[in-house]
Amino acid sequence: MRVDDFDFHLPEDLIALRPARPRRSARLLLAQGHCLEDRAVEDLPQILRPDDVLVFNDTKVIPARLFGERRRETRDGPGTARIETTLIERAAADAWIALARPAKRLRAGDVIHFDGTHATVEGDPAQGRIRLRFPVSGPALDDAVAAAGVMPLPPYIAGKRAADEQDLSDYQTVFAEKPGAVAAPTASLHFDDVLVEALNAKGVRSARLTLHVGAGTFLPVTAETAEDHVMHSEWGEVPEATAAFLTDAKSQGARILPVGTTAMRLLESAAPAPGVLEPWRGDTDIFITPGYAFGMCDGLMTNFHLPKSTLMMLVSALMGVETIRAIYAHAIARRYRFYSYGDSSLLLPKG
């Protein structure tokens, strides 16, 4: 399966740099099989059925982008360099794996001074990936990162504007409870308290799970074929109560509708057999491509994704390659806003 099969041209001005306000006012492309309808996210209580189950990811984004200064003694005296790091994976109570720029300015043993804290570089920075060991650990390290860091906006936004105070709330979902993500589960960004209350009144049920979204979600697929791509892994948890509830709901004919690809990937990772969900805790590197047989998910609410990405392959697996091409062509023609702060879609393969 060639990666080029999942390519498309997106006009740059359709990349959203700020979210819709209020959140629920974002547009929603409803795809029921081949039938497409232009709606709004706030229409969900009218679109969904009573007893449908929406599954939300309750991960919380940490301010994982840190700007600092490397200080080093040289033959000519003290030398400094500005360094940008993005935390991508917790390695220990006192350490993070991070991406660093410019990596060529770093070597093992260097100390990077951030606002209010510092970290020692471990490992070979040659590939831009380093291990940072901090002088504090556990919750104290969490507090230090929160004080020193800024929201890790996706590269297609960060390349156009700097993160600011507004992003601290804009890039966090109303379900965020468990810190650990370095990217938001963006499909859930469209929900606010007003919409949640309206869905509850309709009888739409919900469940929570946790998948800490990693920076790998933005990595391009560089292989020519999907079979040659190495999928990134992310840590997730499906609580026992959630697994029991969703298995029971599925057995009674309810539609299980994950909000976001992160929730979908975790649900499918924890489904050992069709209609059965088990408690889960650990890393998943599930790679969903066309031909995949879904075990739990009956649809998906999701934003519009990058060309030639693993997420384009995932939605193509759910809806079919040709149908997704038609959906994206419609979205571009109708000028839907794309990516993390963009509009949404509700994909229902069975109509």
Side-chain angles (χ1 to χ4, degrees):
M1 188 182 315
R2 292 188 57 80
V3 173
D4 285 345
D5 293 338
F6 304 93
D7 195 11
F8 62 92
H9 172 67
L10 178 69
E12 189 171 344
D13 64 342
L14 294 186
I15 299 174
L17 300 183
R18 297 283 185 183
R21 301 190 195 284
R23 295 178 180 225
R24 64 185 181 278
S25 68
R27 299 169 71 191
L28 177 79
L29 178 50
L30 173 61
Q32 300 183 91
H34 297 284
C35 181
L36 305 183
E37 187 177 351
D38 298 310
R39 303 290 294 267
V41 172
E42 60 192 354
D43 295 336
L44 281 174
Q46 289 76 52
I47 295 170
L48 297 177
R49 306 169 186 167
D51 293 334
D52 278 343
V53 182
L54 296 176
V55 184
F56 297 103
N57 184 357
D58 64 6
T59 188
K60 186 173 184 178
V61 184
I62 63 172
R65 198 173 181 199
L66 286 77
F67 297 88
E69 185 178 77
R70 183 227 67 202
R71 302 171 188 171
R72 182 194 302 161
E73 288 295 325
T74 70
R75 288 178 299 178
D76 300 321
T80 63
R82 294 294 297 170
I83 302 294
E84 174 189 330
T85 64
T86 301
L87 309 181
I88 59 172
E89 180 185 342
R90 189 70 171 257
D94 63 348
W96 276 88
I97 304 299
L99 302 177
R101 294 193 312 173
K104 64 182 180 181
R105 297 290 186 92
L106 295 173
R107 65 189 183 203
D110 279 342
V111 176
I112 305 175
H113 294 263
F114 303 109
D115 184 15
T117 190
H118 64 273
T120 301
V121 176
E122 298 180 342
D124 181 7
Q127 302 303 315
R129 185 182 173 103
I130 59 175
R131 182 184 176 106
L132 293 176
R133 189 171 297 280
F134 292 82
V136 293
S137 63
L141 177 53
D142 297 338
D143 292 342
V145 168
V150 299
M151 276 299 193
L153 293 180
Y156 42 77
I157 297 177
K160 295 178 181 296
R161 67 169 182 84
D164 57 28
E165 193 74 17
Q166 189 63 49
D167 292 304
L168 292 175
S169 57
D170 282 350
Y171 202 57
Q172 203 75 267
T173 76
V174 295
F175 311 103
E177 291 183 355
K178 300 174 182 175
V182 298
T186 55
S188 296
L189 292 178
H190 299 294
F191 289 78
D192 57 18
D193 292 339
V194 173
L195 179 56
V196 170
E197 184 176 336
L199 288 166
N200 291 338
K202 174 67 179 285
V204 176
R205 297 176 291 173
S206 66
R208 309 283 180 89
L209 45 68
T210 306
L211 187 103
H212 291 325
V213 192
T217 191
F218 302 120
L219 293 178
V221 178
T222 56
E224 292 187 1
T225 66
E227 291 77 10
D228 291 333
H229 176 67
V230 178
M231 189 67 177
H232 63 282
S233 66
E234 294 165 318
W235 185 92
E237 180 177 18
V238 178
E240 185 174 350
T242 297
F245 167 64
L246 292 177
T247 299
D248 181 65
K250 183 83 169 176
S251 71
Q252 296 183 35
R255 294 189 301 183
I256 307 302
L257 304 174
V259 179
T261 57
T262 59
M264 171 175 269
R265 292 180 63 238
L266 188 53
L267 286 173
E268 293 299 318
S269 297
V276 177
L277 194 68
E278 292 186 345
W280 171 283
R281 184 181 176 89
D283 293 329
T284 178
D285 60 358
I286 188 171
F287 188 12
I288 298 175
T289 60
Y292 177 85
F294 287 88
M296 280 299 295
C297 301
D298 299 296
L300 173 67
M301 182 174 172
T302 185
N303 288 16
F304 295 97
H305 303 295
L306 292 164
K308 298 199 293 187
S309 64
T310 60
L311 301 184
M312 276 297 293
M313 299 177 198
L314 181 151
V315 294
S316 297
L318 179 67
M319 300 296 290
V321 175
E322 294 304 320
T323 299
I324 281 295
R325 285 177 180 160
I327 289 170
Y328 273 64
H330 178 97
I332 291 170
R334 298 298 177 91
R335 298 193 61 78
Y336 278 73
R337 300 163 74 241
F338 272 62
Y339 305 160
S340 295
Y341 276 154
D343 295 315
S344 191
S345 65
L346 179 58
L347 308 178
L348 302 171
K350 296 181 181 179

